[in-house]
Amino acid sequence: MFRSDFLQVRGPALALALATTLALPAVAAAQGRTLTAQDYARAERFVGYNANPLVDHAVTRVTWLDDGRFWFRDHDADGDHFMVMDAATADAKPAPAFDRARLAEALTKAGGKPVKADKLPVTKFSIAADGGYEVEVRGQRFLCDPQVEGCTQVVAKGGKEPGVRSPDGRSEAFIRDWNLWLRDVESGKETQLTRDGVEDYGYATDNAGWTHSDRAILVWSPDSTKIATFQQDQRKTGTMTLVTTEVGHPQVKTWKYPLVGDKDITMIERVIVDLPAAGKPAGVVRLKMPPDQHRSTQCDDVSCFGGWEDVQWADDGRTLAFASSSRDHKDVWLRIADAATGAVREVMHEHVPTWFESGINAINWRYLAASNEILWWSQRSDWGHLYLYDAGTGKLKHAVTGGEGNVTEVVRVDPESRTVWFRGVGRTAGVDPYYQQFFKVSLDGGEPVLLTPEAADHTVTLSPDGTYFVDAWSTPVDPPVTVLRRADDGSTVATVATADISRLKAAGWVPPVPFTVKARDGKTDLYGMMFKPTNFDAKKKYPIVDYVYPGPQTGSVRGRSFSAARSDHQALAELGFIVVAIDGMGSQPWRNKAFHDAYAGNVGDNTLPDQVAALKQLGQRHAWIDLDRVGMWGHSGGGNATAGAMFRYPDFFKVGWSESGNHDNRVYEDDWAEKWQGLLVTNADGTTNYDDQANQSLAANLKGKLMLVHGLMDDNVPPYSTFLVVDALVKANKDFDLIVLPHARHGYGEDNPYITRRRWDYFVRHLAGNTPPAQYQMQPPKD
């Protein structure tokens, strides 16, 4: 190694020549340009909190008030507006839901805190029978009169524990002291439903290790008389510990957190709780089966989308269907329980070589009790399709869908008309395989009917009775157009809103550039997104930064709908970079099963061979990309991949910024890693199938500049994962950079602006060879 003082003795010219010849980790021939605070301010225009508000009338989701009316939040240069639309009106048009200035004034008086009319923080809204309004603001409920002359805060009666409301709206179930309780919404009266819950062996408790809260995990029966839940056994589950940073004695935070390979992990014992009625006390019926794995058929928790979607009641409340997954997710069983006796029978079982999922970001199986059928989702044909089973015999009746392309999400099933409405991808020739479209199909078979013909990504919201749906369609380049359509044939009833990006363009915004390259195999198409500076000059050479999230549950590009700002990709590009996001093989469930399985059991792969192959193709395709200056950054799984890239491809990636990485999944929660990497196997020689995925084992390969970032209160990916890499780098005598955030969790919260600025500084200095402005202060909005 040459010391810097040796170079300095012989003059700057010789120093530069030697540095260039030796290809030291930092940028060899620095351009020497000094960026100003104005340069950063111009870049900051395209961070989400600035860019997204510049899009007017970008309505993408609505909330149905009843079968015919829905409301939505509109936005323009004058701020937010709350609109209501009646679908049944012949000339349906949006109209203001209320006088926003009067509502802001009334809420300010009622709540004692200032409420701005142009930024009403309303999260829930409904219209009462008398024309009055119920709104939720900052977690507080208010009742307002029809003329919005005054509002009254609704103070919840009873305890403060978060409750799960019953279908009839009269009761809510909650957890207290490890037991399940019932609260009458009107009176606040509370009734204890279970009595044998104890610490770490409680009812309905929410703890998957990486996520934990006080909410209750349960499913109400349709008639509001029974609750399906579980008693969660964590008594032998290992713990995770974090320590706070403060003046004086630190606080020790400890919770149950099972790890890969643990002999004892969290289990659930399924129960049905009968509510007290007519003098009859509450009762608990235990399902007659062994304890079940704390697993779902979709995510790494029993609750995936806010409820307990793998448990479904019959309409009459007499039976309960549920799906159980094995610890490694390779086996799934569909069972039906008798709610009165707890008797359980197995209906069907499916085994797959890698992992089973019941949908793509959705749980798609349905219990059709009235016809004694099960609608099932499987990738047995290499694509995600729907199949109809006899719930009595467990025999397959027939496939409901087939061919190329996936059913991604079952949105509605109408047992009477025997119709299924679903979102799907890759089913229409010539349309981007990541664009979701909306279809309907008969349970009895036949060709699905396309209801949203535009070659775009469609976000749909069905009316409660299934008569209408609101469709917001867009692409990464084209802003959303939102229309009201009929669900029977997809015909357009009315236009809800058409996004206007005039103000965004006036700020200098340019759309990202979608591109396609070949994967590591030279055959498979990969789809990505490129961000170029708004003052792009094809005669220049630009360093390139690859943003990565390897999944496998999603990818780097994320959604394909329009977004004015995707993370800070465009902002970083403004500072003199080409920024790309590429969905590599294995990172996306939207493609076929073989694509998603590309690195099954080999998490250390992290799509990195595809990232390298794609970047090299882009460099060959575009002379203005400098492949001698390649950087990467990512968060969580992307932090893992970034460090892995710096260690596995040390001559290709020169600069890496790794945030909160799960660098060794043996110190991450059991469910995620055991699904994607497999159960821990220790060989006779002491090696394991997890050795290669551990970044610390490759740390000695580092040549470039690497920044590691982690929050010390990260209860998702605990900071010890990064410290393993730190320890290995120290022992290998490697230079590296480290930022620890004493109070930050997995998302950095109030520290995020600081980390964003430091990330920009790092790439500007070490990849572009320029000098960033000193301690630029990011300016996110205060409200």
Side-chain angles (χ1 to χ4, degrees), residues 254-332:
T254 302
W255 73 103
K256 294 294 184 175
Y257 192 107
L259 295 176
V260 168
D262 280 357
K263 176 185 175 182
D264 298 304
I265 64 171
T266 301
M267 304 292 285
I268 59 173
E269 299 172 13
R270 298 175 183 269
V271 301
I272 294 173
V273 179
D274 285 307
L275 270 59
K280 178 183 175 183
V284 177
V285 177
R286 292 190 175 269
L287 300 195
K288 297 176 181 178
M289 60 179 291
D292 215 346
Q293 300 287 335
H294 185 283
R295 298 288 188 265
S296 73
T297 62
Q298 174 59 44
C299 67
D300 45 336
D301 190 3
V302 293
S303 173
C304 293
F305 307 105
W308 195 17
E309 299 82 4
D310 269 319
V311 176
Q312 300 174 24
W313 284 96
D315 288 340
D316 60 10
R318 295 183 178 180
T319 55
L320 182 79
F322 60 95
S324 303
S325 294
S326 60
R327 179 168 177 172
D328 60 6
H329 288 268
K330 293 182 179 180
D331 291 271
V332 62

Side-chain angles (χ1 to χ4, degrees), residues 484-504:
L484 175 67
R485 288 181 146 140
R486 295 194 62 86
D488 56 353
D489 60 6
S491 60
T492 300
V493 177
T495 298
V496 178
T498 301
D500 181 353
I501 58 173
S502 299
R503 291 196 296 141
L504 184 65

Side-chain angles (χ1 to χ4, degrees), residues 699-729:
N701 295 338
L702 179 66
K703 293 182 180 180
K705 295 289 295 185
L706 174 63
M707 173 67 82
L708 299 168
V709 186
H710 220 115
L712 293 186
M713 299 308 295
D714 189 337
D715 56 357
N716 181 335
V717 180
Y720 316 118
S721 188
T722 287
F723 295 161
L724 288 172
V725 178
V726 168
D727 185 55
L729 288 167

